[in-house]
Amino acid sequence: MHPLSRRDFLAGSVAALAAARIQPATASSKTIGYCIVGLGRVSIGYFLPGLKYAPSARPVAIVSRDPRIAAIIARRYGIAPRHIYGYADFDRIADNREIDAVYIALPNALHAEYTIRAARAGKHVLCEKPMSAQVEQAERMVAACRSAGRKLMIAYRCQYEPATLRARQLVRAGRLGRPLVITARFGFDISPSFRLMGETRPEWRLQRALAGGGPLMDVGIYCLNASRFITGQEPAGIQAESSSQPGDPRFRQVEENLAWSMRFPSGLAAACATSYGVSLGESFELSGSRNASLRMDPAYGYASHRLQVTGGGAPLDFQPDFSGHRQFGAEAEHFARCILENRTPRSPGEEGLRDMRLIARIYAAARRT
Ligand code: NAD
């Protein structure tokens, strides 16, 4: 099971119904109307219920290829049947003035097409990570949103989560001294198929054409983004090794395991690992020159994240009550406020593009060894 999919997101879930009841019933000039593109595990299980924590946002439309699921979700969130779209008539969202922004929760290789079409339809775009399946797609997404004058944000949920923000603030204030070593891991044992609202579907994460790559694209990206976000530093040198168990049909198209290292110009070194074959937990550790260390565990998933700091001052143990739905609510709210106040999001398209370029370098390094 995907580590980010453990919570119940099936039809009739009590939490989701409660969320739906709390949604404001009518449009307000102070709220941003989101159109949800792709009704799958993350949008049904997390983003939509998380909107109850986003006072400036509300769901107003959905795009789905499954009329049965679309009807259930529309009923649950009070979305009018005329605001349900398919992929073929997606461009009609241009005529719907209640839609200010789209939230794209499709397989990675489809992010670029729907981001570009949404921007051309005049809508702002909140796109799931990884930004795309290839660097060139990510570049086209940034260019399309820029030329349409629309905002693009990549849904790096952890950048809106309080323990991660506290870690970043402490590191940048010098609590650990000079950052010297990072170790980060995120991996799980992937299933070849998954259940969604009573149906069994093959896992697109194992298909290169839809995913663009393996666990690095999906969960390893959290280790990469946290390393950059918490330290504010960009890696220079990269080395990598990937491997797969021979004969495992899950890994015909994407890698099973990937370990990579990054050298930063300041002298900081990072060692990261990701896997679809085995649980690696979800941790981030950073040690600095004041003989002080910071550890986050859990660091990336839907459970409330925990930050512990030792050395360099009084010990800290910080675990705010901020699990999955709140994390999604916080990012949806941030983007809504950015639209309302005409600000650049904290994690704009350019941030996703930086990760995409680094991911391409990590894969290139793994191919060389
Ligand atoms: P999912 O398979 O559960 O949902 C994908 C949706 O896309 C489904 O509604 C499916 O019907 C639709 N779709 C449209 N065309 C499709 C096609 N050709 N093939 C397959 N599906 C198609 O996937 P998910 O787990 O919800 O992931 C969606 C995106 O969200 C991915 O980019 C993933 O990386 C990202 N994600 C982010 C988080 C997070 O915590 N930020 C968590 C999970 C997933």
Side-chain angles (χ1 to χ4, degrees):
M1 181 126 193
H2 191 275
L4 303 182
S5 309
R6 287 194 184 106
R7 294 278 203 84
D8 175 24
F9 50 79
L10 300 177
S13 113
V14 173
L17 288 169
R21 279 197 291 274
I22 297 169
Q23 294 301 327
T26 54
S28 136
S29 58
K30 291 266 187 235
T31 60
I32 289 299
Y34 274 104
C35 172
I36 315 302
V37 186
L39 294 180
R41 287 163 286 182
V42 74
S43 51
I44 296 175
Y46 290 93
F47 187 82
L48 277 162
L51 284 179
K52 77 174 166 188
Y53 296 109
S56 307
R58 69 206 150 90
V60 295
I62 49 186
V63 179
S64 172
R65 58 181 182 166
D66 186 320
R68 181 184 68 89
I69 295 179
I72 293 170
I73 298 302
R75 260 199 313 279
R76 190 180 289 176
Y77 290 95
I79 292 168
R82 67 178 190 287
H83 291 182
I84 301 176
Y85 300 87
Y87 293 96
D89 64 348
F90 178 85
D91 302 315
R92 285 202 303 114
I93 65 170
D95 305 325
N96 189 334
R97 296 179 55 160
E98 281 196 46
I99 302 174
D100 302 292
V102 300
Y103 167 66
I104 298 194
L106 295 167
N108 308 337
L110 304 178
H111 291 182
E113 175 183 348
Y114 289 95
T115 294
I116 294 166
R117 285 169 71 176
R120 288 186 183 148
K123 309 303 179 187
H124 302 285
V125 180
L126 172 58
C127 179
E128 264 305 341
K129 49 53 62 182
M131 179 171 180
S132 58
Q134 291 163 10
V135 172
E136 167 273 331
Q137 294 171 351
E139 289 168 344
R140 285 196 290 114
M141 292 161 74
V142 170
C145 290
R146 195 175 289 151
S147 73
R150 300 293 89 179
K151 294 187 194 300
L152 172 59
M153 171 170 148
I154 308 306
Y156 284 117
R157 167 172 65 70
C158 297
Q159 293 198 14
Y160 303 90
E161 185 280 322
T164 309
L165 290 169
R166 184 83 177 271
R168 177 186 198 243
Q169 179 255 319
L170 289 171
V171 168
R172 296 192 183 196
R175 164 73 193 258
L176 308 181
R178 201 158 49 81
L180 294 179
V181 177
I182 289 171
T183 52
R185 301 154 62 98
F186 196 11
F188 69 105
D189 187 9
I190 198 168
S191 300
S193 61
F194 66 94
R195 300 269 304 160
L196 180 77
M197 313 243 328
E199 277 173 35
T200 301
R201 297 184 176 185
E203 180 56 86
W204 57 264
R205 285 175 169 78
L206 298 171
Q207 299 171 31
R208 178 166 294 278
L210 285 172
L216 175 59
M217 304 286 292
D218 187 24
V219 288
I221 189 172
Y222 286 89
C223 306
L224 172 62
N225 194 261
S227 300
R228 297 179 44 250
F229 180 69
I230 290 173
T231 64
Q233 298 187 31
E234 296 296 331
I238 288 180
Q239 294 191 2
E241 299 279 354
S242 67
S243 67
S244 298
Q245 296 171 58
D248 189 324
R250 292 176 299 172
F251 307 119
R252 287 198 189 110
Q253 298 187 20
V254 300
E255 80 278 3
E256 177 184 6
N257 312 300
L258 204 147
W260 77 99
S261 60
M262 302 185 282
R263 179 178 44 77
F264 294 73
S266 67
L268 169 66
C272 305
T274 187
S275 177
Y276 270 165
V278 64
S279 170
L280 299 177
E282 43 164 311
S283 60
F284 179 88
E285 260 185 87
L286 170 56
S287 298
S289 59
R290 289 180 72 191
N291 207 17
S293 290
L294 165 164
R295 177 172 170 79
M296 294 192 63
D297 190 352
Y300 316 112
Y302 298 145
S304 293
H305 298 178
R306 183 177 185 186
L307 167 67
Q308 292 170 289
V309 183
T310 50
L316 173 76
D317 192 341
F318 179 54
Q319 188 166 28
D321 177 12
F322 214 80
S323 56
H325 293 171
R326 284 182 191 276
Q327 296 176 23
F328 282 87
E331 72 180 5
E333 176 66 9
H334 176 82
F335 193 49
R337 298 305 315 171
C338 287
I339 295 168
L340 290 166
E341 294 158 15
N342 195 19
R343 288 188 284 119
T344 302
R346 184 181 298 146
S347 53
E350 289 79 359
E351 169 76 347
L353 176 55
R354 268 182 224 116
D355 277 350
M356 289 306 302
R357 288 183 172 142
L358 290 165
I359 285 171
R361 285 179 58 195
I362 293 168
Y363 278 130
R367 279 194 300 273
R368 277 198 299 276
T369 55

